[in-house]
Amino acid sequence: MPLSEHEQRLLEQMERALYAEDPKFASALEGTGLRTYTRRRVYQAAVGFVVGVALLMGGMVAQLIWVSVVGFLVMLGCAVLAVTAWRRGPIGHGAGAGQAAAPRRKAGVMDRMEQRWQRRRDEHDGL
């Protein structure tokens, strides 16, 4: 469940206060090891995807359908792994040591629908 605007502002204020109070501790919590792990996982998935393409093409050339199917499954698995690692991982997310707060991400369709629902509910409650 996503945080509300008020909760996000409070979290950003707490992060800024933590950086101001103890920058060394805050940078240790930032998770550079996790960032490296996620980046490595995305690269491994990209290499696996290329291997899957090679298997797919090799199976087509050799007319071995099962090799092509395995190549396609490898490509699919690696694509899913890369996308989930990229979306869940801290690459490009979070506040760095020199940043005041995390950059705001674009609101998705579900976020916009939730905001509209909240506005309608607030308007209905206000009547």
Side-chain angles (χ1 to χ4, degrees):
M1 185 162 106
L3 298 176
S4 69
E5 287 289 323
H6 177 67
E7 292 169 334
Q8 287 177 351
R9 276 184 270 142
L10 285 175
L11 182 60
E12 289 172 1
Q13 289 175 354
M14 289 168 48
E15 286 176 353
R16 278 185 254 141
L18 178 62
Y19 275 107
E21 192 172 303
D22 194 356
K24 187 176 179 182
F25 178 68
S27 63
L29 287 179
E30 198 170 276
T32 56
L34 184 60
R35 183 173 289 127
T36 303
Y37 171 76
T38 304
R39 187 174 289 133
R40 185 180 316 129
R41 194 158 181 186
V42 169
Y43 290 150
Q44 288 172 347
V47 169
F49 187 85
V50 171
V51 168
V53 169
L55 283 172
L56 178 72
M57 299 305 278
M60 295 300 282
V61 169
Q63 294 184 348
L64 296 171
I65 300 299
W66 66 272
V67 174
S68 297
V69 170
V70 169
F72 176 75
L73 292 175
V74 168
M75 287 170 48
L76 183 63
C78 289
V80 168
L81 181 70
V83 168
T84 56
W86 185 263
R87 296 187 106 205
R88 290 184 182 170
I91 298 176
H93 299 289
Q99 298 173 340
R104 299 188 72 80
R105 65 179 182 91
K106 291 183 180 178
V109 174
M110 292 304 291
D111 292 333
R112 289 192 303 264
M113 287 176 62
E114 187 175 334
Q115 289 172 356
R116 288 179 190 156
W117 178 259
Q118 187 68 31
R119 276 196 308 257
R120 287 180 188 151
R121 204 167 80 198
D122 290 344
E123 288 172 1
H124 185 302
D125 291 341
L127 294 177

